[in-house]
Amino acid sequence: MSSADLVFALVAFPLLGAALALMAKSFPSASPVGRVLEAVGAFVGLALPWAVLALSLDDMLAGVAYRGIIGGWNPSVGIAYRFDGLAWMLSLLGYALAGAAYIYTLGKGPRGPAFTAIFLIQTAALAATSMTADLFNLFVCLEILGIASYVLVASSRKPGAYLAAFSYLMVSATAMIFFLLGIYGFYRLTGSLSYEGIRTGLAALPDGGGLG
């Protein structure tokens, strides 16, 4: 496996951990097997990605950027990715905060296999956000982040948690409307949604798209 393919483990490990956590729900809440599965899922999703970050550190320090199309699809329809030093730093920060937050929940709650699974899905979406290379896939990743966040806020079972989750949903949905309008504007101007295509399209405009 190449280093460029290895970075997808930053997304795959949390998703695998989420699957293991959901498997834990097949067992009674007091079952040691269920607790072990949930713990293993959390370890896979939050600890193993650090090995990927460590393995890619030398390339990031050398200024190498991994890029390509997932699955080898045509660039016009495929999901493009770019993993560079900035994406590495964002992933490092994301996993550091996610790990600290999960450890905090072990003592203060909420907890349980369902919570762990949603938490890991959110972590995977955050990692995917850092390496996406076009605005549409960024929108999809942000939506997954938002949906997971609404569920996590509501799962706290504190007074007002459901109202807080609903308020967050309304604010986020409103923000996404403006985000989509911005995407439409970029597409009308440049004919592309990829970061590289937008940069090239703006540079080709008479005033340089305001980049100058």
Side-chain angles (χ1 to χ4, degrees):
M1 179 183 293
S2 67
S3 297
D5 294 328
L6 182 64
V7 297
F8 291 115
L10 294 173
V11 179
F13 278 144
L15 293 179
L16 176 59
L20 292 173
L22 286 177
M23 287 176 59
K25 287 187 65 65
S26 302
F27 300 89
S29 57
S31 170
V33 177
R35 291 198 297 269
V36 168
L37 272 176
E38 182 184 357
V40 170
F43 177 82
V44 169
L46 296 174
L48 292 187
W50 285 92
V52 179
L53 292 173
L55 290 173
S56 59
L57 176 59
D58 288 342
D59 283 344
M60 297 300 105
L61 292 176
V64 176
Y66 308 143
R67 66 181 73 196
I69 306 295
I70 297 176
W73 285 77
N74 186 290
S76 61
V77 296
I79 299 176
Y81 70 89
R82 175 186 169 91
F83 189 84
D84 54 14
L86 179 59
W88 190 92
M89 286 296 298
L90 287 173
S91 297
L92 176 72
L93 180 61
Y95 276 105
L97 293 176
Y102 187 78
I103 292 173
Y104 175 82
T105 65
L106 295 179
K108 299 295 183 179
R111 66 190 68 155
F115 170 82
T116 299
I118 299 299
F119 187 89
L120 292 175
I121 290 172
Q122 184 186 52
T123 305
L126 181 61
T129 299
S130 70
M131 66 179 69
T132 185
D134 66 78
L135 289 178
F136 179 77
N137 291 315
L138 177 62
F139 168 75
V140 173
C141 293
L142 291 176
E143 282 294 284
I144 296 173
L145 273 171
I147 293 171
S149 298
Y150 314 147
V151 177
L152 291 176
V153 171
S155 68
S156 68
R157 299 178 182 177
K158 295 180 180 179
Y162 291 106
L163 178 59
F166 180 74
S167 300
Y168 183 21
L169 168 63
M170 293 296 100
V171 172
S172 178
T174 303
M176 285 297 102
I177 292 175
F178 289 101
F179 186 84
L180 288 173
L181 289 174
I183 290 178
Y184 173 73
F186 274 123
Y187 188 75
R188 283 294 302 270
L189 281 173
T190 65
S192 175
L193 292 180
S194 70
Y195 298 163
E196 290 293 330
I198 291 172
R199 184 184 63 81
T200 302
L202 290 176
L205 295 175
D207 60 350
L211 295 177

